[in-house]
Amino acid sequence: MNRKPLALLLAIALPLHAQNNAADPALTIPEPPATATLDNTTVSPAAANPPAADKTAAVDPADLRIGFVNFRRIMAAAPQREEINERLEREFGVERDALLQAQSELRDMERQLETIRHGDAYNELERQVINKRRDVSRRDSDYRDNINVRRNEEMAKLQKMIGDEIISLAKEANYDIILNDIGVFYVSERADLSQQVITRLQRKAEKP
């Protein structure tokens, strides 16, 4: 294995990023926090505690096991997405059907209004159409807000489930680093060079 490019990869991959999620036409999926997982503990770059002293010995980059996951692909292919859709259909199906019925009634009223000449009947129907439009707009907004909140909640649970599975796989297969599309998803303690850098800085600070 060519060790120099691998060492360079480890050096440039230190900034930890959160994975963007697959686009969904009905919602914006909340992004995971900008943290990476270091063995059993989720830590932020600024708050990471140094690993134990016996785990800071230099590691040959050629000995590290590195894997990659495409989080967007996993999110899109996860069978749990279908379960989420079915759950939301049960929760919001009645509300959605009622909204569709109201929209259909509004279209019928608007078509009828086009066939009536101006006068008392026209003015009365126009008033009803205006009120119906307001009612349909409000119900549509409430429906979208409610279903998006619930969908975001379910997608956040799915994100966590996928993250847990990735970390479990990494540990079972003895991977040291798991990369994703834009950064580092998981780092084992033996691959973390932070304490070694801190030690070198401390030694440099002690020099006269």
Side-chain angles (χ1 to χ4, degrees):
M1 178 181 295
N2 190 329
R3 300 182 179 182
K4 186 174 182 180
L6 181 56
L8 178 61
L9 172 63
L10 298 180
I12 65 175
L14 286 178
L16 307 178
H17 300 280
Q19 171 64 47
N20 289 332
N21 300 291
D24 191 308
L27 101 137
T28 301
I29 301 174
E31 295 186 359
T35 60
T37 298
L38 180 59
D39 274 0
N40 293 326
T41 306
T42 300
V43 295
S44 65
N49 293 323
D54 60 347
K55 296 185 178 181
T56 60
V59 177
D60 187 342
D63 294 333
L64 297 177
R65 293 200 69 193
I66 300 177
F68 171 83
V69 293
N70 187 323
F71 207 94
R72 299 183 188 189
R73 178 185 174 190
I74 296 172
M75 283 288 295
Q80 286 78 11
R81 286 179 68 96
E82 184 62 28
E83 297 175 7
I84 291 173
N85 291 336
E86 293 174 357
R87 190 176 302 119
L88 294 178
E89 171 65 24
R90 290 192 297 270
E91 291 184 26
F92 293 95
V94 174
E95 183 179 350
R96 181 206 58 208
D97 291 344
L99 174 60
L100 293 175
Q101 178 63 30
Q103 291 172 337
S104 177
E105 293 172 356
L106 174 60
R107 288 192 294 269
D108 290 342
M109 294 172 65
E110 290 172 336
R111 283 193 292 266
Q112 182 181 358
L113 185 64
E114 295 174 354
T115 65
I116 300 178
R117 293 185 178 183
H118 288 276
D120 291 341
Y122 179 92
N123 293 338
E124 175 61 22
L125 182 56
E126 183 182 42
R127 183 185 63 79
Q128 294 178 11
V129 168
I130 292 174
N131 290 336
K132 189 71 170 180
R133 285 173 180 166
R134 290 172 179 168
D135 178 64
V136 169
S137 177
R138 177 188 57 79
R139 292 170 67 174
D140 179 73
S141 178
D142 290 345
Y143 169 77
R144 291 179 182 275
D145 288 345
N146 292 336
I147 196 171
N148 281 344
V149 167
R150 282 290 294 116
R151 192 185 297 270
N152 283 340
E153 292 173 351
E154 294 296 331
M155 286 298 180
K157 294 177 183 177
L158 178 57
Q159 279 187 321
K160 184 179 184 306
M161 180 187 299
I162 292 173
D164 291 344
E165 289 301 320
I166 293 172
I167 294 172
S168 295
L169 173 62
K171 292 180 178 180
E172 290 171 8
N174 294 320
Y175 279 92
D176 294 291
I177 297 174
I178 300 294
L179 305 175
N180 61 19
D181 304 32
I182 58 173
V184 179
F185 189 90
Y186 166 84
V187 181
S188 69
E189 287 192 14
R190 82 185 197 112
D192 181 24
L193 305 179
S194 302
Q195 184 57 40
Q196 294 183 49
V197 175
I198 293 172
T199 300
R200 292 165 67 94
L201 291 173
Q202 290 172 339
R203 290 172 181 170
K204 182 172 291 188
E206 293 172 357
K207 292 182 179 180

